[in-house]
Amino acid sequence: PPADFRSAINTGSVAWTPDGARLAIAGFGGNQQPRLFPSSIWTVDLSTGAVRDLRSAQTTSDFYPRWLRDGRILVSRTHRGLAIIDPASGADALVYEPPKPWNGSMTILFFDTSLDGRRVAVVAPNVGLAVVDLTSGAVREVELASGGGMPPIEFSADGRSLVTRWSLDVSTPFWPTSIAAVDIETGVPTVLADDGL
């Protein structure tokens, strides 16, 4: 990256393409400072060293990049929702916006894409746990059968469940939590490991 590039701290891991050929990083450039200027997604081609700043035409802060199988990048856009960026053209589009009115944090901090890249699981304001179809935009809230699912979340390999932290007791500061696979269709959890942090 350019000498003045600065990575945006605590905004997700550096994201690799499935073939390992490129990176996507949230960061700042041009002598900008975090919290004073918008962040954008930067791509790095590892074979050529080419770096590209995919800054939106609008004033946005983009975090937590995820590569989709079709080569586009899914990002969380501060106070807006989830957007998809085409790294070839720089074109971007908002694909999911949590319902308003928003309360508390308005930024989606926890999300994961299915292995086929067609769906994204989110923990979003006014929704809770949900699965968004990236093609149709349809949103399916995951109604939890009992207990409470807590971030982070991750799709299971078969795409039928979301792996999450799980607890029946949240009344104490350090409640015992389990790791569970929550069935997307029924909301029923299958505990995989007990007393995990």
Side-chain angles (χ1 to χ4, degrees), residues 11 29 89 96 112 116 118 132 135 148 159 163 180:
T11 55
S89 66
Y96 173 68
D112 187 45
D116 61 11
R118 296 177 183 172
V132 180
T135 303
V163 180

Side-chain angles (χ1 to χ4, degrees), residues 11-55:
T11 55
S13 302
V14 173
W16 293 85
T17 52
D19 62 5
R22 289 182 293 168
L23 302 173
I25 309 167
F28 304 82
N31 297 318
Q32 295 177 333
Q33 295 295 320
R35 298 184 185 172
L36 298 178
F37 295 91
S39 65
S40 55
I41 303 302
W42 298 60
T43 60
V44 181
D45 186 310
L46 297 180
S47 63
T48 66
V51 176
R52 185 165 184 199
D53 180 3
L54 301 176
R55 190 168 306 175

Side-chain angles (χ1 to χ4, degrees), residues 66-154:
R66 305 275 201 288
W67 290 92
L68 300 176
R69 288 194 173 271
D70 62 9
R72 297 180 300 165
I73 304 170
L74 180 70
V75 300
S76 177
R77 191 154 275 178
T78 299
H79 304 315
R80 287 188 169 100
L82 296 180
I84 291 181
I85 303 171
D86 181 343
S89 66
D92 63 340
L94 198 65
V95 293
Y96 173 68
E97 183 178 14
K100 296 178 180 178
W102 294 343
N103 50 40
S105 172
M106 295 181 287
T107 302
I108 297 174
L109 302 178
F110 300 101
F111 63 97
D112 187 45
T113 54
S114 59
L115 291 181
D116 61 11
R118 296 177 183 172
R119 297 175 297 158
V120 58
V122 298
V123 176
N126 289 344
V127 174
L129 191 59
V131 175
V132 180
D133 186 301
L134 291 176
T135 303
S136 68
V139 179
R140 179 192 181 112
E141 293 186 37
V142 179
E143 298 292 338
L144 302 177
S146 62
M150 296 173 285
I153 53 173
E154 184 175 314

